[in-house]
Structures are given as C-alpha cells and as structure tokens.
Amino acid sequence: MSTTPRQDLLQAFDTLLQPARFKDYGPNGLQVEGKPEVGKIVSGVTASLALIEAAVAAQADAIFVHHGLFWRGQDGRVTGWMKQRLALLLAHDINLYAYHLPLDAHPELGNNAQLGVQLGLAATGRFGEHDLGFLGGRTDGGQFANAGALAAHVKKVLNRPVTQAGPAQAAIKNIAWCTGGAQGYFEAAIVAGADAFITGEISEPQAHYAREMGVAFIACGHHASERYGAPAVAAHVARQLGLAHQFIDIDNPA
Ligand SMILES: [Zn+2]
C-alpha cells in the first residue's frame, strides 16, 4: 500500500468538497496536523475519543470526519474532553481532517446524496441555504401510501426509531431531506413543495408547522442520517490516491 503527503491528501479532499464555497460553523480541512505521510485513512461521523482510539488501534495515519473538534462558540480551552482527544491524536501523530457543510452538500458522495441512496430516493432539485436541502422522490418513481409508510421505510433502512409528525393520511410523492440537525430547513422544504421532510432531529416548533402546513416531518436521528457521507468521500479519495481506508461507526443513539 502506498502513502501520500498530508498536504496532497488535503488537496484531494478540498478539490472534491470545495470548502471555500461555504460559510461554516467551524474550520474545514486539516484540523490537527499529524505525520507527514498518510497510508491509511479511518473515516467516521464524529472525532470522538472512541473514534480516535479505534483509529489508533487500526493504525490509521489520518482520520476523516464530518464533525471535527473545533466549532464557533467554543471558548478555546484545551481541558476535559478536548484535552483527551487532542492528546491522543498528537501522541499518535494522526492527522485529523474534518468537513462539515461541504460534506453534507456534495451532489454524489455527500451525506444527503448518500442518505438518498440508502433510502432509494433521487434528488431532482435542491433548496435552502447553501442548497443543502435535497428534493426529489423515490428512485422507482413510486409514492408512499402515507407518512406512516415512509416513516416505516426510513426506520427499517436505518435500523433506528423515527419520530413522525404531521398529516398521516395523504400519499407522499415529493420528498425533501437534509441530514443532521436540519429541522430549521423544514419551512424551506415546505415552500419547495415537499409532501414530507426527513432530517435527523426535531425541535418543538416543527410538529406544529407539520400539522398546520399539512407536510409530514420525519426525524430519523442525527447520527443515523450522517453515517454515509464520510465513508463515501474517504473511500473515493483513498481509491484515487492508492491509500487504505476503513470506516468505523461509533454508534450513537442521537
Ligand atoms: Zn451533523
């Protein structure tokens, strides 16, 4: 198995995901500098201590995640969980690459596109800020008999309980989705013409919007909705550069 310079790997991720196009909640790209040459990438959803430990055990030279370590609003102190995660990364000289919104948005390999693949949905349009929302329908052109049938389908595919709000009877043809904590995209999905909206999380207002606007809202879990983009991108880039890649899912009930 070959290796590639840390900067070339960064370049490959940047070329694919184009982070400069996004105004994000944290820095995209190389968040923690490790060894100069990378032979093996471990991908995961979140740069948690458990993922870093698993990457160490897997002898990774780089970790590629959707949720990195640094976010707007943090106070910048390296204490507690931050100290533990950073200490382990630095002790093993592991590079940490993190891409947030650019990883949600990529039209074929991103979280939204890959969740669509899992659910058998194809996008015909995009909506919302940064065009992060995907709008389309079933790949086979069919429709769901009602929101309950769609919710049951999502639950079965993701193997995760879902929360459903809004109309229960109407057939569902136009389906909008946006992974993670995208409950704030619900109103844009309604305007875009969705019969149902799927995201990871629900907050209190969305159930009312769903009932009042007649559009179903399905929350399937933040983590569960974002398990597919990081491995798709990391596998693609690893193949491109002749590197080893392994996806490690650290289960999360959220
Ligand atoms: Zn997320």
Side-chain angles (χ1 to χ4, degrees), residues 67 137 150 191 210 226 228:
H67 302 136
L150 172 59
V191 172
E226 296 194 324
Y228 306 104

Side-chain angles (χ1 to χ4, degrees), residues 66-67 100 180-181 222 226:
H66 180 49
H67 302 136
H100 184 237
H222 188 136
E226 296 194 324

Side-chain angles (χ1 to χ4, degrees), residues 56-114:
V56 169
Q59 299 186 304
D61 309 305
I63 298 176
F64 177 86
V65 292
H66 180 49
H67 302 136
L69 288 182
F70 308 109
W71 301 98
R72 196 164 68 199
Q74 285 171 335
D75 71 7
R77 277 179 278 208
V78 182
T79 56
W81 59 268
M82 179 67 88
K83 187 246 176 176
Q84 293 182 50
R85 295 184 194 181
L86 269 177
L88 195 57
L89 280 172
L90 295 172
H92 294 272
D93 218 10
I94 295 175
N95 295 282
L96 176 66
Y97 299 87
Y99 290 82
H100 184 237
L101 297 183
L103 183 59
D104 290 321
H106 190 277
E108 285 106 38
L109 300 171
N111 279 324
N112 284 309
Q114 291 292 315

